[in-house]
Amino acid sequence: WQVEFRDFWPFEKGLVNEVVFEFGEYVAPTCALNLFPGQEAQDVEVTSMLTWESSENAAGYFINLGTLQDEFNILQKVDAGNVTSFDPGMLECGVDYYYQVIPYNNFGEAAECGVESFKTEYVVASSSGEEEVCKGDIVSLSANGGNSYEWFPEDYLDNPGIQNPVSTPPESIEYTVIVYNENGCFDTTSLSIIVSEVVITVDSVNHVRTGLPGFIDIAVNDDLDDYTYDWTGPNGFSANTQDIENLEIGCYDLVVTNVVNDCSA
């Protein structure tokens, strides 16, 4: 060091009465403690702030943030200033993050500060899955995992924006539901409604003639399933066969029921 004292007054010489030099000790700050989110924290809200306790001798803090364990690919040495919290902006849902808080002052930075990791919140959507109903039936759909719901398509639904809408599908259909939580995280799931229908075809009707009784032959849409037949007619007529014969003049009613799914027509 070289120190020079000058007096620029031209008429007399100046006099220095006292000179004092004070040198502070070289002190770098220590690493911050009690960081939030803590190490390996789970379900951290995507709106969270990074917070920490103040570090002795710190004039400010650098922030590193990334989604890769060995690389801070989002923020690198961003100066947060002399505060104890930092808003990283809207984080993504269901992502592993790694971050580091490095205190600094005029002498330098804290050495070997640890890297914290955490995983943000996410939504797992679930539904009641495939359901088989008879044509004309009302079916209640169900989804879980969040606090708001959107159903697509909106066909045959009473309210596509609730958790449990009611559907009256005339045909088989697949619904998709988007499930959200309060911070906008979402997931999707699907469910299928299989609509079964018993279709009766009258193959032939032979009307009553002199000396010849009538008969009715019918067919059902799916011969692979088992069906029950319930015929009723005039004068107490009843039968449980697919086709009926030896009929009198009159009107005959038939109910066909699918034994597998209990649908009838």
Side-chain angles (χ1 to χ4, degrees), residues 86-137:
F86 179 78
D87 185 359
M90 181 62 74
L91 300 171
E92 295 183 18
C93 304
V95 173
D96 291 314
Y97 284 95
Y98 303 87
Y99 76 103
Q100 186 180 38
V101 178
I102 305 175
Y104 69 85
N105 59 19
N106 291 333
F107 296 113
E109 303 173 4
E112 298 181 357
C113 294
V115 176
E116 303 289 325
S117 66
F118 65 92
K119 185 169 186 174
T120 51
E121 61 185 325
Y122 58 96
V123 172
V124 177
S126 62
S127 69
S128 53
E130 183 176 291
E131 190 165 350
E132 186 173 355
V133 299
C134 300
K135 185 174 182 178
D137 286 354

Side-chain angles (χ1 to χ4, degrees), residues 8-173:
F8 290 97
W9 185 250
F11 304 108
E12 61 181 18
K13 293 183 178 180
L15 179 66
V16 175
N17 296 314
E18 183 179 12
V19 176
V20 177
F21 294 97
E22 293 183 0
F23 296 92
E25 182 181 358
Y26 179 91
V27 178
T30 57
C31 294
L33 299 176
N34 296 327
L35 280 65
F36 174 84
Q39 182 66 11
E40 297 183 357
Q42 300 293 311
D43 295 323
V44 175
E45 291 189 8
V46 294
T47 56
S48 295
M49 301 272 288
L50 306 180
T51 63
W52 58 89
E53 287 186 358
S54 59
S55 172
E56 187 178 1
N57 300 319
Y61 301 87
F62 292 129
I63 306 297
N64 291 324
L65 176 68
T67 56
L68 304 175
Q69 189 168 6
D70 300 324
E71 178 184 350
F72 298 114
N73 57 332
I74 299 177
L75 302 175
Q76 290 187 354
K77 293 195 73 173
V78 173
D79 192 345
N82 190 17
V83 295
T84 56
S85 64
F86 179 78
D87 185 359
M90 181 62 74
L91 300 171
E92 295 183 18
C93 304
V95 173
D96 291 314
Y97 284 95
Y98 303 87
Y99 76 103
Q100 186 180 38
V101 178
I102 305 175
Y104 69 85
N105 59 19
N106 291 333
F107 296 113
E109 303 173 4
E112 298 181 357
C113 294
V115 176
E116 303 289 325
S117 66
F118 65 92
K119 185 169 186 174
T120 51
E121 61 185 325
Y122 58 96
V123 172
V124 177
S126 62
S127 69
S128 53
E130 183 176 291
E131 190 165 350
E132 186 173 355
V133 299
C134 300
K135 185 174 182 178
D137 286 354
I138 297 175
V139 57
S140 178
L141 310 183
S142 176
N144 294 283
N147 56 12
S148 61
Y149 303 83
E150 286 185 71
W151 292 86
F152 300 96
E154 300 182 3
D155 301 354
Y156 319 123
L157 296 178
D158 65 333
N159 187 341
I162 61 176
Q163 182 176 3
N164 302 113
V166 171
S167 175
T168 52
E171 57 188 359
S172 298
I173 187 171

Side-chain angles (χ1 to χ4, degrees), residues 202 204-205 214-218 231 242-245 247 252:
V202 178
S204 59
V205 175
F215 65 83
I216 303 174
D217 293 338
I218 62 103
W231 290 93
Q242 178 172 333
D243 302 321
I244 53 176
E245 54 188 15
L247 305 181
Y252 293 82

